[in-house]
Amino acid sequence: MVFSSIVFLCMFFPAVLVCYYICPKKLRNLLLLLASLFFYAWGEPTYIIIMLFSTIFDYCNGRLLEYFAAIGKKNTLGRLILVISVIGNLGILGFFKYTDFVLSSINALTGKDFPLLDLALPIGISFYTFQTMSYTIDVYRGNVAAQHNLISFGMYVCMFPQLIAGPIVRYSDIRQEVDDRHTSFSLCAAGMQRFLLGLGKKVLLANQIGALWDEIYGLEASDLSMAIAWLGAFAFTFQIYFDFSGYSDMAIGLGEMFGFHFPENFRYPYESKSITEFWRRWHMTLGTWFREYLYIPLGGNRKGFVRQILNLFLVWFLTGLWHGAGWNFILWGLYFFVLLLFEKLFLLKLIQHLPIFLQHFYALFWIVPGWVIFACDDLARLKTYVKMLICIDVPACNQLALYEWTTHAVFLIILVLASTQLMNRLAARMLQKISTCVGEAAAFWLKSIWCLLVLLLSMAMLISGSYNPFLYFRF
């Protein structure tokens, strides 16, 4: 089950929301836990055992860490429990996500024929594994107290709003709200509005431009040109942003409706003026996780420049690997490692002296091909596509490219505007004027009507059975 499905929008979500608000507060965590388990089991009933094991495993680890710290054994037995927790979590993630990748790579390199296990990837395993690991690490560090209520901890791990696509919500982000949170009409309304705008991002923008990427990616060789390759690259660039940020908006909105305040995950990343800035704006909760639990513990930039480069390499190698079991994801991570290293060495200082529009051009010039690496899971196909981008063995333009560019020009302009703060600022300014002249209630209802229109258009697209992929299922 995904947020942009008729089953979720018309059945599951309304039923859970109504039950949540009529349910006594002391039973709400149990309700959310049961609803989340049902949500997860809808698509993968077998793998719910893995999630339950991970929940109980790290609940026990947290209690043991607290106990050993209390009796003065933090640096001995407590550290052992932490190591067991990290190895256990990474072991489960590695087995299900990377076993077939390792076997297929060994077969390709050695000519062997080891049989693949053909394991299905449990939905959201990368997200909830990182969440439970951050919990045990924070308990060990003394940053948070261990959660004593198994139902409350299970609700945190399994909570369906952020289960399948993030943001990565650390226990420290919501520890006060796990057992004591408040709901109100205004918070619920704000959450509903954000959810619906995120739904619009996903269904009305990401899905439509994603269909263009699939069309271009599947073209015959005779139809290819540099112009059509760049159009496809731009299409995927917009698809992955509106798909992922749309799901993050929906998750944050759902959280608000249930009284939670999840961290922001995107901050208009395509407005960035450097690759360094881009990664401070894109998937911010993942970047925070790697910084807090890998880069800084490895020494960060405190142990000399050579060690800093090694730390950055490890972070970006693992960032790529986290996104998927494929060599293209590793190449994607290392691609950004090299760019960030050059910026750190000298490039960033040079870029800052350029006019603002050239800084934006520089960032996008590298971001867009990066998404091509991310999208092409076949390395031979990736090589061919990169050659097209730099006009090797293909014409610069052809009739099909002219047709596709002119056909999609208006929609591309809409996507460009929607990926910047401009539309948001204009809407906020208009609502502020309406609020000043007519009243806050009028501004609220105007925004609500707009969100309702987005819902109706999205439902129409979903009911028609239009293209509706979910890019982050693989993660």
Side-chain angles (χ1 to χ4, degrees):
M1 194 186 309
V2 295
F3 300 157
S4 57
S5 67
I6 298 297
V7 172
F8 180 86
L9 294 171
C10 297
M11 299 173 63
F12 177 83
F13 170 58
V16 172
L17 190 65
V18 170
C19 291
Y20 184 82
Y21 275 88
I22 63 176
C23 182
K25 286 188 176 182
K26 63 181 180 180
L27 297 179
R28 286 181 173 179
N29 281 354
L30 177 60
L31 174 66
L32 278 181
L33 173 60
L34 295 176
S36 298
L37 293 175
F38 178 83
F39 176 90
Y40 188 85
W42 180 267
E44 294 183 335
T46 303
Y47 284 156
I48 198 171
I49 298 172
I50 300 169
M51 177 180 285
L52 291 174
F53 172 81
S54 182
T55 300
I56 297 171
F57 177 64
D58 282 305
Y59 169 80
C60 294
N61 288 332
R63 295 296 303 272
L64 288 171
L65 286 168
E66 181 183 61
Y67 172 73
F68 289 134
I71 63 173
K73 301 289 187 179
K74 175 180 177 180
N75 293 328
T76 53
L77 294 177
R79 186 171 295 176
L80 176 63
I81 294 299
L82 178 63
V83 171
I84 291 172
S85 173
V86 171
I87 292 176
N89 280 292
L90 293 181
I92 294 171
L93 176 63
F95 177 74
F96 283 96
K97 192 168 184 177
Y98 302 109
T99 299
D100 281 352
F101 170 63
V102 172
L103 290 174
S104 61
S105 297
I106 292 173
N107 289 343
L109 290 172
T110 64
K112 301 291 184 180
D113 190 25
F114 294 114
L116 303 184
L117 302 183
D118 292 324
L119 296 170
L121 181 64
I123 297 171
I125 189 172
S126 297
F127 290 94
Y128 69 71
T129 298
F130 271 30
Q131 290 183 182
T132 56
M133 282 176 59
S134 69
Y135 166 76
T136 54
I137 294 171
D138 282 345
V139 172
Y140 174 78
R141 291 174 174 176
N143 295 337
V144 299
Q147 172 59 252
H148 288 201
N149 189 313
L150 180 58
I151 291 175
S152 295
F153 183 73
M155 182 275 301
Y156 156 70
V157 176
C158 306
M159 190 164 33
F160 74 87
Q162 42 77 56
L163 179 65
I164 56 174
I168 297 173
V169 181
R170 297 179 295 167
Y171 185 79
S172 58
D173 294 325
I174 59 169
R175 62 183 182 274
Q176 295 179 341
E177 296 171 340
V178 169
D179 291 314
D180 184 23
R181 56 188 176 274
H182 304 282
T183 56
S184 65
F185 173 79
S186 59
L187 186 62
C188 183
M192 181 67 75
Q193 290 174 346
R194 181 147 190 186
F195 174 85
L196 294 177
L197 293 176
L199 178 67
K201 274 186 178 183
K202 163 63 181 161
V203 176
L204 303 180
L205 299 180
N207 287 1
Q208 308 315 309
I209 198 63
L212 176 62
W213 159 250
D214 278 3
E215 175 189 339
I216 291 174
Y217 191 68
L219 286 175
E220 299 293 334
S222 58
D223 294 323
L224 301 176
S225 67
M226 183 180 72
I228 202 75
W230 277 99
L231 178 60
F234 285 127
F236 187 79
T237 295
F238 286 121
Q239 181 192 9
I240 195 166
Y241 169 67
F242 288 111
D243 186 280
F244 195 13
S245 70
Y247 263 94
S248 292
D249 286 341
M250 285 189 274
I252 293 169
L254 286 169
E256 288 181 333
M257 284 183 263
F258 295 120
F260 294 96
H261 294 83
F262 297 157
E264 293 292 335
N265 213 19
F266 291 87
R267 188 163 54 86
Y268 302 102
Y270 293 156
E271 288 188 347
S272 301
K273 300 183 288 294
S274 67
I275 302 302
T276 301
E277 182 183 356
F278 173 75
W279 281 106
R280 291 172 181 163
R281 292 168 172 258
W282 179 277
H283 204 346
M284 296 187 291
T285 56
L286 180 65
T288 298
W289 198 98
F290 273 111
R291 184 178 67 251
E292 295 293 327
Y293 301 106
L294 184 61
Y295 181 69
I296 292 176
L298 286 173
N301 58 2
R302 305 186 308 275
K303 296 187 177 182
F305 188 68
V306 174
R307 181 64 178 272
Q308 182 184 6
I309 293 174
L310 177 60
N311 294 342
L312 283 172
F313 172 83
L314 289 173
V315 166
W316 284 99
F317 175 84
L318 293 174
T319 297
L321 193 61
W322 179 88
H323 278 85
W327 286 107
N328 64 307
F329 295 110
I330 295 174
L331 288 174
W332 175 78
L334 297 180
Y335 170 85
F336 280 107
F337 159 72
V338 172
L339 291 173
L340 290 165
L341 179 60
F342 283 155
E343 287 193 356
K344 189 172 290 291
L345 288 172
F346 64 91
L347 203 52
L348 198 57
K349 294 180 180 179
L350 297 177
I351 297 166
Q352 291 171 349
H353 292 92
L354 295 175
I356 296 296
F357 79 93
L358 286 179
Q359 294 182 42
H360 288 303
F361 177 82
Y362 156 82
L364 290 172
F365 179 81
W366 295 110
I367 290 168
V368 174
W371 288 129
V372 172
I373 300 173
F374 189 92
C376 297
D377 52 8
D378 183 296
L379 294 185
R381 181 64 173 137
L382 172 60
K383 181 181 177 181
T384 301
Y385 207 99
V386 171
K387 289 170 67 176
M388 286 194 296
L389 290 176
I390 55 179
C391 202
I392 296 178
D393 297 334
V394 293
C397 191
N398 58 13
Q399 195 65 34
L400 178 62
L402 291 174
Y403 170 79
E404 295 288 6
W405 272 99
T406 53
T407 301
H408 294 91
V410 174
F411 190 42
L412 288 171
I413 292 172
I414 293 172
L415 293 170
V416 169
L417 294 175
S419 63
T420 69
Q421 298 182 64
L422 179 62
M423 303 293 285
N424 220 20
R425 287 176 175 174
L426 290 174
R429 190 175 301 174
M430 181 184 69
L431 290 174
Q432 181 62 41
K433 288 183 178 180
I434 293 174
S435 179
T436 302
C437 297
V438 185
E440 291 185 5
F444 168 79
W445 285 110
L446 180 62
K447 185 176 181 180
S448 298
I449 291 171
W450 169 250
C451 291
L452 180 60
L453 178 61
V454 170
L455 173 62
L456 294 175
L457 290 173
S458 300
M459 291 290 288
M461 297 297 295
L462 293 172
I463 292 172
S464 69
S466 62
Y467 180 80
N468 186 33
F470 178 35
L471 297 180
Y472 270 72
F473 255 142
R474 76 179 81 174
F475 313 132

Coordinates of all heavy atoms in Angstrom, one line a residue, residues 186-246:
S186 N -6.3 23.0 14.1 CA -5.4 23.8 13.2 C -4.2 22.9 12.8 O -3.8 23.0 11.6 CB -4.9 25.0 14.0 OG -4.2 24.7 15.2
L187 N -3.7 22.1 13.7 CA -2.6 21.2 13.4 C -3.0 20.1 12.4 O -2.3 19.8 11.4 CB -2.0 20.6 14.6 CG -0.7 19.8 14.4 CD1 0.4 20.6 13.9 CD2 -0.3 19.1 15.7
C188 N -4.2 19.6 12.6 CA -4.7 18.6 11.7 C -5.0 19.2 10.3 O -4.7 18.5 9.3 CB -6.0 17.9 12.3 SG -6.7 16.6 11.3
A189 N -5.6 20.4 10.3 CA -5.9 21.0 9.0 C -4.6 21.3 8.2 O -4.5 21.1 7.0 CB -6.7 22.3 9.3
A190 N -3.6 21.8 9.0 CA -2.3 22.1 8.3 C -1.7 20.8 7.8 O -1.1 20.8 6.7 CB -1.4 22.8 9.3
G191 N -1.8 19.8 8.6 CA -1.2 18.5 8.1 C -2.0 18.0 6.9 O -1.4 17.4 5.9
M192 N -3.3 18.1 6.9 CA -4.1 17.7 5.7 C -3.7 18.5 4.5 O -3.6 17.9 3.4 CB -5.6 17.8 6.0 CG -6.5 17.4 4.9 SD -6.4 15.6 4.6 CE -7.3 15.0 6.0
Q193 N -3.6 19.8 4.6 CA -3.2 20.6 3.5 C -1.8 20.2 2.9 O -1.7 20.1 1.7 CB -3.2 22.1 3.9 CG -4.6 22.6 4.2 CD -4.6 24.0 4.7 OE1 -3.5 24.5 5.1 NE2 -5.7 24.7 4.7
R194 N -0.9 20.0 3.8 CA 0.4 19.6 3.4 C 0.4 18.2 2.7 O 1.1 17.9 1.7 CB 1.4 19.6 4.5 CG 2.8 19.2 4.1 CD 3.9 19.9 4.8 NE 5.2 19.6 4.2 CZ 6.3 20.0 4.7 NH1 6.4 20.7 5.9 NH2 7.5 19.8 4.1
F195 N -0.4 17.3 3.3 CA -0.5 15.9 2.7 C -1.0 16.0 1.2 O -0.5 15.4 0.3 CB -1.4 15.1 3.5 CG -1.7 13.7 2.9 CD1 -0.8 12.7 3.1 CD2 -2.9 13.5 2.1 CE1 -1.1 11.4 2.5 CE2 -3.1 12.3 1.5 CZ -2.3 11.3 1.7
L196 N -2.1 16.8 1.1 CA -2.7 16.9 -0.3 C -1.8 17.6 -1.3 O -1.7 17.2 -2.4 CB -4.0 17.7 -0.2 CG -5.1 17.0 0.6 CD1 -6.4 17.8 0.8 CD2 -5.4 15.6 0.0
L197 N -1.0 18.6 -0.8 CA -0.1 19.3 -1.8 C 1.0 18.3 -2.1 O 1.5 18.3 -3.3 CB 0.5 20.5 -1.1 CG -0.5 21.7 -0.9 CD1 0.2 22.8 -0.2 CD2 -1.1 22.1 -2.3
G198 N 1.5 17.5 -1.2 CA 2.4 16.4 -1.5 C 1.9 15.4 -2.4 O 2.6 14.9 -3.4
L199 N 0.6 15.0 -2.3 CA 0.0 14.1 -3.2 C -0.1 14.7 -4.6 O 0.2 14.0 -5.6 CB -1.5 13.8 -2.7 CG -2.3 12.9 -3.6 CD1 -1.8 11.5 -3.6 CD2 -3.8 12.9 -3.1
G200 N -0.3 16.0 -4.7 CA -0.3 16.7 -6.0 C 1.1 16.6 -6.6 O 1.2 16.4 -7.9
K201 N 2.1 16.8 -5.8 CA 3.5 16.7 -6.3 C 3.7 15.4 -7.0 O 4.3 15.3 -8.1 CB 4.5 16.9 -5.2 CG 4.8 18.4 -4.9 CD 6.0 18.3 -3.8 CE 6.5 19.7 -3.4 NZ 7.6 19.6 -2.5
K202 N 3.3 14.4 -6.3 CA 3.5 13.0 -6.7 C 2.7 12.6 -7.9 O 3.3 12.2 -8.9 CB 3.2 12.0 -5.5 CG 3.0 10.6 -5.9 CD 4.3 10.0 -6.5 CE 4.0 8.5 -6.9 NZ 5.0 8.0 -7.8
V203 N 1.4 12.8 -7.9 CA 0.5 12.3 -8.9 C 0.5 13.3 -10.1 O 0.5 12.8 -11.3 CB -0.9 12.1 -8.4 CG1 -1.9 11.7 -9.5 CG2 -0.9 11.1 -7.2
L204 N 0.4 14.6 -9.9 CA 0.2 15.5 -11.0 C 1.5 15.9 -11.7 O 1.5 16.3 -12.8 CB -0.5 16.7 -10.5 CG -1.9 16.5 -9.9 CD1 -2.6 17.8 -9.4 CD2 -2.8 15.7 -10.9
L205 N 2.6 15.9 -10.9 CA 3.9 16.3 -11.5 C 4.9 15.1 -11.7 O 5.3 14.9 -12.8 CB 4.5 17.4 -10.5 CG 3.7 18.6 -10.3 CD1 4.5 19.6 -9.4 CD2 3.4 19.3 -11.6
A206 N 5.2 14.4 -10.6 CA 6.2 13.4 -10.8 C 5.7 12.3 -11.7 O 6.5 11.8 -12.6 CB 6.5 12.7 -9.4
N207 N 4.5 11.8 -11.6 CA 4.0 10.7 -12.5 C 4.0 11.1 -13.9 O 4.4 10.3 -14.8 CB 2.6 10.3 -12.0 CG 2.6 9.5 -10.7 OD1 3.7 9.3 -10.1 ND2 1.5 9.1 -10.3
Q208 N 3.6 12.4 -14.2 CA 3.5 12.8 -15.6 C 4.8 12.9 -16.3 O 5.0 12.5 -17.4 CB 2.7 14.1 -15.7 CG 1.3 14.1 -14.9 CD 0.5 12.8 -15.2 OE1 0.3 12.4 -16.3 NE2 0.1 12.2 -14.1
I209 N 5.8 13.5 -15.6 CA 7.1 13.7 -16.2 C 7.8 12.4 -16.2 O 8.7 12.1 -17.0 CB 7.9 14.8 -15.5 CG1 9.0 15.3 -16.4 CG2 8.4 14.4 -14.2 CD1 8.6 15.9 -17.7
G210 N 7.5 11.5 -15.2 CA 8.2 10.2 -15.2 C 7.8 9.4 -16.4 O 8.6 8.6 -16.9
A211 N 6.6 9.5 -16.9 CA 6.2 8.8 -18.1 C 7.0 9.2 -19.3 O 7.4 8.3 -20.1 CB 4.7 9.0 -18.4
L212 N 7.4 10.5 -19.3 CA 8.3 10.9 -20.4 C 9.7 10.3 -20.3 O 10.3 9.8 -21.3 CB 8.4 12.4 -20.4 CG 9.4 13.1 -21.4 CD1 9.0 12.7 -22.8 CD2 9.5 14.6 -21.2
W213 N 10.2 10.2 -19.1 CA 11.5 9.6 -18.9 C 11.5 8.1 -19.3 O 12.4 7.6 -20.0 CB 12.0 9.6 -17.4 CG 13.0 8.6 -17.0 CD1 12.8 7.5 -16.2 CD2 14.4 8.6 -17.5 NE1 14.0 6.8 -16.1 CE2 14.9 7.4 -16.9 CE3 15.1 9.3 -18.3 CZ2 16.3 7.1 -17.1 CZ3 16.5 9.0 -18.5 CH2 17.0 7.9 -17.9
D214 N 10.4 7.4 -19.0 CA 10.3 6.0 -19.4 C 10.3 5.8 -20.9 O 10.8 4.9 -21.5 CB 9.1 5.3 -18.7 CG 9.4 4.9 -17.3 OD1 10.5 5.1 -16.8 OD2 8.4 4.3 -16.7
E215 N 9.5 6.8 -21.5 CA 9.4 6.7 -23.0 C 10.8 6.9 -23.6 O 11.1 6.2 -24.6 CB 8.4 7.8 -23.4 CG 8.3 8.0 -24.9 CD 7.5 9.2 -25.3 OE1 6.7 9.7 -24.5 OE2 7.7 9.6 -26.5
I216 N 11.5 7.9 -23.2 CA 12.8 8.2 -23.8 C 13.8 7.1 -23.5 O 14.6 6.7 -24.4 CB 13.3 9.6 -23.3 CG1 12.4 10.7 -23.8 CG2 14.8 9.8 -23.6 CD1 12.7 12.1 -23.3
Y217 N 13.8 6.6 -22.3 CA 14.8 5.6 -21.9 C 14.6 4.3 -22.7 O 15.5 3.5 -23.0 CB 14.6 5.2 -20.4 CG 15.7 4.3 -19.8 CD1 17.0 4.8 -19.7 CD2 15.4 3.0 -19.4 CE1 18.0 4.0 -19.2 CE2 16.4 2.2 -18.9 CZ 17.7 2.7 -18.8 OH 18.7 1.9 -18.3
G218 N 13.3 4.1 -23.2 CA 13.1 2.9 -24.0 C 13.1 3.1 -25.5 O 12.7 2.2 -26.3
L219 N 13.6 4.2 -26.0 CA 13.6 4.5 -27.4 C 14.6 3.6 -28.2 O 15.6 3.1 -27.6 CB 14.0 6.0 -27.7 CG 13.0 7.1 -27.4 CD1 13.6 8.4 -27.6 CD2 11.8 6.9 -28.2
E220 N 14.3 3.4 -29.4 CA 15.2 2.7 -30.3 C 16.4 3.5 -30.7 O 16.3 4.8 -30.6 CB 14.5 2.2 -31.6 CG 13.3 1.3 -31.4 CD 13.7 0.0 -30.9 OE1 14.8 -0.5 -31.1 OE2 12.9 -0.7 -30.2
A221 N 17.5 2.9 -31.0 CA 18.7 3.6 -31.3 C 18.5 4.6 -32.4 O 19.2 5.7 -32.4 CB 19.8 2.6 -31.7
S222 N 17.7 4.3 -33.4 CA 17.5 5.3 -34.5 C 16.8 6.6 -34.1 O 16.9 7.5 -34.9 CB 16.7 4.6 -35.6 OG 15.4 4.2 -35.1
D223 N 16.2 6.6 -33.0 CA 15.4 7.8 -32.5 C 16.3 8.6 -31.6 O 15.8 9.7 -31.1 CB 14.1 7.4 -31.8 CG 13.2 6.7 -32.7 OD1 13.1 7.1 -33.9 OD2 12.5 5.7 -32.3
L224 N 17.5 8.2 -31.3 CA 18.2 8.9 -30.2 C 19.0 10.1 -30.8 O 19.4 10.2 -31.9 CB 19.2 7.9 -29.6 CG 18.6 6.7 -29.0 CD1 19.7 5.7 -28.5 CD2 17.7 7.1 -27.8
S225 N 19.2 11.1 -29.9 CA 20.0 12.3 -30.2 C 20.4 12.9 -28.8 O 19.9 12.5 -27.8 CB 19.2 13.3 -31.0 OG 18.1 13.8 -30.2
M226 N 21.4 13.8 -28.9 CA 21.8 14.5 -27.7 C 20.7 15.2 -27.0 O 20.5 15.2 -25.8 CB 23.0 15.4 -27.9 CG 23.5 16.1 -26.7 SD 24.9 17.2 -27.0 CE 24.1 18.5 -27.8
A227 N 19.9 15.9 -27.9 CA 18.8 16.7 -27.4 C 17.7 15.9 -26.6 O 17.2 16.3 -25.6 CB 18.1 17.5 -28.5
I228 N 17.4 14.7 -27.2 CA 16.4 13.8 -26.5 C 17.0 13.2 -25.3 O 16.3 13.0 -24.3 CB 15.9 12.7 -27.5 CG1 14.6 12.2 -27.1 CG2 16.9 11.6 -27.6 CD1 13.4 13.1 -27.4
A229 N 18.3 13.0 -25.2 CA 18.9 12.4 -24.0 C 18.9 13.4 -22.9 O 18.6 13.1 -21.7 CB 20.4 12.0 -24.3
W230 N 19.2 14.7 -23.2 CA 19.1 15.7 -22.1 C 17.7 16.0 -21.7 O 17.4 16.2 -20.5 CB 19.7 17.0 -22.6 CG 21.2 17.0 -22.5 CD1 22.1 16.8 -23.4 CD2 21.9 17.3 -21.3 NE1 23.4 16.9 -22.9 CE2 23.3 17.1 -21.6 CE3 21.6 17.6 -19.9 CZ2 24.3 17.3 -20.6 CZ3 22.6 17.7 -19.0 CH2 23.9 17.6 -19.3
L231 N 16.7 15.9 -22.6 CA 15.3 16.0 -22.2 C 14.9 14.8 -21.2 O 14.3 15.1 -20.2 CB 14.4 15.9 -23.4 CG 12.9 16.0 -23.1 CD1 12.5 17.3 -22.4 CD2 12.1 15.9 -24.4
G232 N 15.4 13.6 -21.5 CA 15.1 12.5 -20.6 C 15.8 12.7 -19.3 O 15.2 12.4 -18.2
A233 N 17.0 13.2 -19.3 CA 17.7 13.5 -18.0 C 17.0 14.5 -17.2 O 16.9 14.4 -16.0 CB 19.2 14.0 -18.3
F234 N 16.5 15.6 -17.8 CA 15.7 16.6 -17.1 C 14.4 16.0 -16.5 O 14.0 16.3 -15.4 CB 15.4 17.8 -18.0 CG 16.6 18.7 -18.2 CD1 17.0 19.0 -19.5 CD2 17.3 19.2 -17.2 CE1 18.0 19.9 -19.7 CE2 18.4 20.1 -17.4 CZ 18.8 20.4 -18.7
A235 N 13.8 15.1 -17.4 CA 12.6 14.5 -16.9 C 12.8 13.7 -15.7 O 12.0 13.8 -14.7 CB 12.0 13.6 -18.0
F236 N 13.8 12.8 -15.6 CA 14.1 12.0 -14.4 C 14.5 12.9 -13.2 O 14.1 12.6 -12.1 CB 15.2 11.0 -14.7 CG 15.3 10.0 -13.5 CD1 14.4 9.0 -13.3 CD2 16.3 10.2 -12.6 CE1 14.6 8.1 -12.2 CE2 16.5 9.4 -11.5 CZ 15.6 8.3 -11.3
T237 N 15.2 14.0 -13.5 CA 15.6 14.9 -12.5 C 14.4 15.5 -11.8 O 14.4 15.6 -10.5 CB 16.5 16.1 -13.1 OG1 17.7 15.6 -13.6 CG2 16.8 17.1 -12.0
F238 N 13.4 15.9 -12.5 CA 12.2 16.4 -11.9 C 11.3 15.3 -11.3 O 10.7 15.4 -10.3 CB 11.3 17.1 -13.0 CG 11.9 18.5 -13.3 CD1 12.3 18.8 -14.6 CD2 12.1 19.5 -12.4 CE1 12.8 20.0 -15.0 CE2 12.6 20.7 -12.7 CZ 12.9 21.0 -14.0
Q239 N 11.3 14.1 -12.0 CA 10.5 13.0 -11.4 C 11.0 12.6 -10.0 O 10.2 12.5 -9.1 CB 10.6 11.8 -12.3 CG 9.7 10.6 -11.8 CD 10.0 9.3 -12.5 OE1 10.9 9.2 -13.3 NE2 9.2 8.3 -12.3
I240 N 12.3 12.4 -9.9 CA 12.7 11.9 -8.6 C 12.5 13.0 -7.5 O 12.3 12.7 -6.3 CB 14.2 11.4 -8.6 CG1 14.5 10.6 -7.4 CG2 15.2 12.6 -8.8 CD1 15.8 9.8 -7.5
Y241 N 12.7 14.3 -7.8 CA 12.5 15.3 -6.8 C 11.0 15.4 -6.4 O 10.7 15.3 -5.2 CB 12.9 16.7 -7.4 CG 12.5 17.8 -6.5 CD1 13.0 17.9 -5.2 CD2 11.5 18.7 -6.9 CE1 12.6 18.9 -4.3 CE2 11.1 19.7 -6.0 CZ 11.6 19.8 -4.7 OH 11.2 20.8 -3.9
F242 N 10.1 15.4 -7.4 CA 8.7 15.6 -7.0 C 8.1 14.3 -6.4 O 7.2 14.3 -5.6 CB 7.9 16.1 -8.2 CG 8.1 17.5 -8.5 CD1 8.8 17.8 -9.7 CD2 7.7 18.5 -7.7 CE1 9.0 19.2 -10.0 CE2 7.9 19.8 -8.0 CZ 8.6 20.2 -9.2
D243 N 8.7 13.1 -6.8 CA 8.2 11.9 -6.2 C 8.7 11.8 -4.8 O 7.8 11.5 -3.9 CB 8.9 10.7 -7.1 CG 8.4 9.3 -6.6 OD1 8.9 8.8 -5.6 OD2 7.5 8.8 -7.3
F244 N 9.9 12.0 -4.5 CA 10.5 11.8 -3.2 C 10.0 13.0 -2.2 O 9.6 12.7 -1.1 CB 12.0 11.7 -3.2 CG 12.6 11.2 -2.0 CD1 11.9 10.6 -1.0 CD2 14.0 11.3 -1.8 CE1 12.5 10.1 0.2 CE2 14.6 10.8 -0.7 CZ 13.8 10.2 0.3
S245 N 10.1 14.2 -2.7 CA 9.7 15.3 -1.8 C 8.2 15.3 -1.6 O 7.7 15.7 -0.6 CB 10.2 16.7 -2.4 OG 9.4 17.0 -3.6
G246 N 7.5 14.8 -2.6 CA 6.0 14.7 -2.5 C 5.7 13.7 -1.4 O 4.8 13.9 -0.5

